[in-house]
Amino acid sequence: MIPYIERDGDPSAPPGYSFPGVMVRSFLLPADMTALSTLCGKMLNIAPLAECGFEFVPLLPFVFVGVLTYPKMLDLDPIFAQRGFTSQHELFSAFLVVRWDSLFPGDPLLSQICTFGGCYIFFAYLFVDNPWSMITGREVIGFPKLLARFNPLPSETSSPTFTVKASTNILSPFNPMTSLHQREFLTIASSATTSPGLIDPLPNVVWPWSHFGPGAAAFVPPGLQAVFSDVLSEFPMSTVQLKQFRDISGDSSACYQAIQTADFTVANLQPGALLPQMDITIPAYDSLKIAATLGIPVSNTGMVTSINQIQSRIDMTYSNVTNLFVRS
């Protein structure tokens, strides 16, 4: 294994990580399965099944948008744990995926015969206001983190009212004369009209599984009904991401790609005040097309109303990071 050369002032740090007292505000949105399948094919199924031995498909036609406040972010490595901590605000879009493992990997004829390999969360978009978190997230564990600004800053305190506007660097329209500048890419505010939720969230169940109450089972493919009931009580929560580095030889080449899995262990659930139904506005830009990429059915104004919403405080740890497949 190649030794890592640490530079003076290097902001990246190795896993695992501890996140005590995270305030979670999470919103379930409808999504199109075709769009989610396309994204899985692009970001997770980077090699043929016969070559890598697995493939990922979306489990449910839903995504969740989360706004998290981290009072402390700690590195668990014995050396880095002595250096200090940082904090951040985060916004993400994610969805559940299923891994199918080939029973005969490498066989051109039988590689399509698969068995269930687990359920994961795939984070399609991640925005943070901490540069060190962005660099570590991208370089070390493969999360597609971008810098963002939040207005107002999400509070660490549970409250029945919540609103936030998030902005990031945007290029739109694509044009040689367009300058990179900050634009709002997602707004969350209480809905002007309240309607019955499609799915009632499960009380006192740890996020994110609390989003998927009994009504969600109707959307699960028949062959995965039994698996879904197990997923609701499955801990730790596994994640899967694409880590890659662009090569200097050309604009379409990568010098390294890996599909990485890891475990988020969630504990110490403290339910917060109930949030109202939310209107979430997601503008489209040439350089950032969140709603279209995830198949979120927004209106002409870019708005969609949450199916349900959850607020809670939890402790999280991130560990067991594993390279499932690497090519370089």
Side-chain angles (χ1 to χ4, degrees):
M1 183 174 292
I2 302 172
Y4 182 80
I5 302 172
E6 187 175 353
R7 300 172 178 173
D8 189 32
D10 190 346
S12 65
Y17 313 113
S18 173
F19 312 118
V22 179
M23 176 57 71
V24 177
R25 298 174 178 93
S26 186
F27 312 94
L28 189 68
L29 305 180
D32 178 69
M33 286 290 277
T34 299
L36 298 182
S37 296
T38 299
L39 192 57
C40 280
K42 179 181 179 180
M43 295 294 179
L44 299 178
N45 302 329
I46 61 174
L49 177 63
E51 177 184 345
C52 65
F54 62 84
E55 68 177 5
F56 289 90
V57 298
L59 174 61
L60 293 168
F62 304 112
V63 300
F64 33 87
V65 170
V67 179
L68 276 59
T69 300
Y70 295 77
K72 277 191 175 183
M73 305 172 69
L74 307 163
D75 197 291
L76 297 178
D77 182 278
I79 296 177
F80 286 81
Q82 305 304 313
R83 298 185 178 181
F85 69 90
T86 186
S87 59
Q88 74 170 10
H89 301 90
E90 176 184 84
L91 186 151
F92 69 81
S93 298
F95 59 96
L96 294 176
V97 298
V98 172
R99 185 178 112 197
W100 293 106
D101 292 336
S102 174
L103 291 176
F104 304 97
D107 191 305
L109 297 178
L110 300 179
S111 61
Q112 298 296 320
I113 303 176
C114 296
T115 185
F116 176 73
C119 186
Y120 298 78
I121 294 179
F122 171 60
F123 291 87
Y125 296 94
L126 268 164
F127 301 88
V128 297
D129 61 0
N130 182 318
W132 282 42
S133 172
M134 183 197 71
I135 293 170
T136 293
R138 294 179 69 92
E139 292 190 356
V140 181
I141 53 180
F143 284 106
K145 292 187 177 183
L146 295 172
L147 280 178
R149 294 176 181 172
F150 300 95
N151 182 29
L153 288 176
S155 171
E156 296 180 26
T157 305
S158 173
S159 170
T161 59
F162 176 72
T163 182
V164 69
K165 295 180 179 180
S167 61
T168 192
N169 287 317
I170 297 291
L171 281 172
S172 191
F174 282 158
N175 186 296
M177 302 303 294
T178 297
S179 174
L180 185 71
H181 58 291
Q182 286 270 326
R183 298 284 294 275
E184 289 181 4
F185 68 90
L186 194 142
T187 301
I188 304 174
S190 297
S191 179
T193 58
T194 302
S195 59
L198 176 63
I199 298 172
D200 292 329
L202 293 168
N204 299 320
V205 176
V206 176
W207 171 88
W209 312 128
S210 47
H211 274 299
F212 302 108
F219 299 92
V220 180
L224 292 173
Q225 291 281 350
V227 170
F228 181 68
S229 61
D230 292 338
V231 163
L232 292 180
S233 59
E234 180 182 330
F235 298 100
M237 172 181 71
S238 298
T239 68
V240 60
Q241 297 298 140
L242 166 66
K243 175 180 176 178
Q244 67 174 345
F245 295 101
R246 189 182 294 276
D247 192 74
I248 61 173
S249 62
D251 61 359
S252 61
S253 300
C255 59
Y256 177 90
Q257 286 182 330
I259 299 299
Q260 297 182 323
T261 61
D263 293 332
F264 265 119
T265 303
V266 180
N268 194 24
L269 169 68
Q270 301 174 40
L274 294 177
L275 291 172
Q277 201 165 28
M278 295 290 187
D279 287 338
I280 299 177
T281 304
I282 313 173
Y285 301 106
D286 283 1
S287 64
L288 190 62
K289 303 175 181 177
I290 297 175
T293 300
L294 295 173
I296 300 172
V298 296
S299 66
N300 292 336
T301 60
M303 191 180 72
V304 63
T305 301
S306 60
I307 293 172
N308 63 37
Q309 45 282 323
I310 291 165
Q311 182 171 220
S312 61
R313 188 182 300 277
I314 55 177
D315 296 337
M316 294 193 298
T317 56
Y318 183 83
S319 60
N320 299 328
V321 185
T322 302
N323 287 327
L324 195 62
F325 176 78
V326 176
R327 63 182 184 185
S328 59

